[in-house]
Structure formats: structure tokens, C-alpha cells
């Protein structure tokens, strides 16, 4: 079985809840970036041992949070030795607006994975974009590069649309399944 790590930052808990769904789908392990942009003790070793790494960050002012960016810059140590070459990668972002410039964050995560020589996994779901589509549907936000989640600005952590959370679980499973196939 492949080993997936979901490494994420969350300022107010919403992205953390999304990360939990992604991790559940992947049968993976969560690794939180703290409020100072640092990993806990042993975090880098966990990432090194993973077959798949899934990046997660809230979109703040049109890009991943600065704490995630601090982590991203710190991955340059792994980059120098090509330590993450050919690992499988995925990524997700969560923000308040339906659009909210989430795609900018997602492309930043995809670019980070590519800098490391990683194999990026797309969302792999058709969009639910008909008149009948609802927020309980899978991929109602119509993502393709990776996972998009919308948490309304006045929503509690428990009020994130269920369709987005189900999409998160499905995406985590997809990344882990692909990592499993490549690990054979
Ligand atoms: C500093 C800051 C900047 C934000 N910028 C955006 C933004 O550019 N687009 C958007 O849709 N939401 C934006 N939001 C809303 C957050 O993305 C949203 O509340 C998200 O659920 C926060 O996730 P978290 O609870 O994991 O921190 C911003 C929130 C903060 C605090």
C-alpha cells in the first residue's frame, strides 16, 4: 500500500477540515504547517518517506497563505538533492468565494510539485455544471487541475458544502490509488 502525506496550512480550521477528508480518502496521514510556517518535529522525514505528497493551503489575497509559502521555500533543501523526484503529488485550496482566485493557488502548488520533478495528479472528475447541479454534487466548482473547495465567509468549519468535502475524499483516493499503481 502506498503512503500518502497531506501537508497543509489552515489559519481558521476550514482547510484543516478539507485536509481531513483528503487524507481519509487517501488513507493517508495529516501533517500540519503551524502558524509560523513550520513543520512539527519529524515532519521532513515523513515527507521524504512518502510515495505521494498532497499540498493544501487556503487562498489568502489570491495566493497560498504565507505560512504555506514559507514551507514551500523550505522545500528547496529537498529540491537541491532531488529528494522528491518522481514522487506523486496533488494539491488543493479552499477559499470563501466560488472563484476567489483559487486557480492561482492551485497552479502555485502544481508548480511547486513540478519543481521537485513530481508526477502531478489532476482532479479526474467531470464538472457538475448543469441547471440541476447542487453544492452537494461532486465537483460542483468545476475543477480540473486539482481540488477546489469553497467555504462561505460566514460558514463555520461544519458548514463547508458537502459536495466539496466528498470531492476532497474522492481526490485523496485518486492520488493514493495512482501512487499505489506506480509503486508496483
Ligand atoms: C487574509 C485573508 C485573505 C483572504 N483572501 C481570499 C481570497 O483571495 N479569495 C477568497 O475567495 N477568499 C479569501 N479569504 C477567505 C479564506 O480563503 C476563507 O475564509 C478560508 O475558508 C480560510 O481557510 P482557513 O480557515 O483554513 O484559514 C481570505 C481570508 C483571509 C483571512
Amino acid at each position: 500500500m502506498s503512503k500518502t502525506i497531506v501537508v497543509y496550512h489552515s489559519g481558521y480550521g476550514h482547510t484543516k477540515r478539507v485536509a481531513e477528508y483528503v487524507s481519509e480518502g487517501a488513507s493517508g496521514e495529516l501533517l500540519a504547517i503551524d502558524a509560523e510556517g513550520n513543520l512539527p518535529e519529524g515532519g521532513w522525514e515523513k515527507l521524504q518517506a512518502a510515495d505521494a505528497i498532497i499540498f493544501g493551503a487556503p487562498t489568502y489575497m489570491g495566493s497560498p497563505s504565507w505560512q504555506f509559502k514559507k514551507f514551500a521555500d523550505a522545500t528547496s533543501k529537498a529540491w537541491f538533492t532531488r529528494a522528491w523526484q518522481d514522487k506523486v503529488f496533488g494539491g488543493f485550496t479552499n477559499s470563501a468565494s466560488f472563484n476567489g482566485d483559487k486557480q492561482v493557488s492551485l497552479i502555485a502548488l502544481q508548480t511547486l510539485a513540478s519543481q521537485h520533478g513530481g508526477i502531478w495528479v489532476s482532479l479526474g472528475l467531470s464538472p457538475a455544471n448543469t441547471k440541476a447541479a447542487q453544492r452537494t454534487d461532486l465537483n460542483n466548482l468545476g475543477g480540473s487541475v486539482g481540488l477546489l473547495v469553497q467555504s462561505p465567509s460566514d460558514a463555520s468549519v461544519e458548514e463547508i458544502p458537502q459536495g466539496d468535502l466528498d470531492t476532497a475524499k474522492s481526490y485523496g483516493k485518486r492520488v493514493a490509488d495512482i501512487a499505489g499503481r506506480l509503486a508496483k
Side-chain angles (χ1 to χ4, degrees):
M1 204 176 121
S2 65
K3 175 98 190 133
T4 302
I5 301 284
V6 180
V7 58
Y8 71 96
H9 170 252
S10 178
Y12 304 94
H14 299 80
T15 311
K16 176 175 189 279
R17 181 136 190 259
V18 179
E20 287 165 356
Y21 272 77
V22 172
S23 181
E24 188 185 335
S27 298
E29 190 178 334
L30 292 166
L31 185 59
I33 300 165
D34 70 18
E36 300 306 318
N38 298 318
L39 290 180
E41 190 77 29
W44 292 105
E45 290 77 8
K46 283 184 178 173
L47 289 168
Q48 184 52 47
D51 299 301
I53 298 173
I54 304 179
F55 299 134
T59 294
Y60 290 166
M61 302 311 292
S63 63
S65 59
W66 71 257
Q67 289 89 345
F68 186 88
K69 175 61 175 153
K70 180 175 167 180
F71 158 77
D73 288 4
T75 71
S76 58
K77 205 170 170 189
W79 178 87
F80 273 116
T81 58
R82 308 310 292 167
W84 294 358
Q85 179 82 31
D86 295 341
K87 284 187 191 294
V88 171
F89 286 88
F92 62 94
T93 190
N94 159 63
S95 84
S97 300
F98 281 89
N99 182 312
D101 297 318
K102 279 192 251 290
Q103 190 80 0
V104 176
S105 296
L106 212 49
I107 297 297
L109 305 185
Q110 186 188 35
T111 303
L112 176 61
S114 301
Q115 288 233 347
H116 283 284
I119 300 160
W120 180 263
V121 179
S122 66
L123 186 63
L125 291 170
S126 299
N129 59 9
T130 64
K131 282 196 289 184
Q134 297 187 350
R135 298 294 290 122
T136 46
D137 291 340
L138 283 183
N139 198 21
N140 183 229
L141 295 184
S144 62
V145 172
L147 170 67
L148 308 171
V149 173
Q150 182 242 354
S151 301
S153 59
D154 55 350
S156 71
V157 167
E158 284 74 36
E159 293 173 313
I160 299 172
Q162 191 58 43
D164 291 9
L165 294 174
D166 292 342
T167 306
K169 200 167 163 182
S170 155
Y171 184 57
K173 182 175 185 319
R174 173 171 162 83
V175 174
D177 284 352
I178 289 171
R181 269 190 256 162
L182 289 173
K184 276 180 190 159

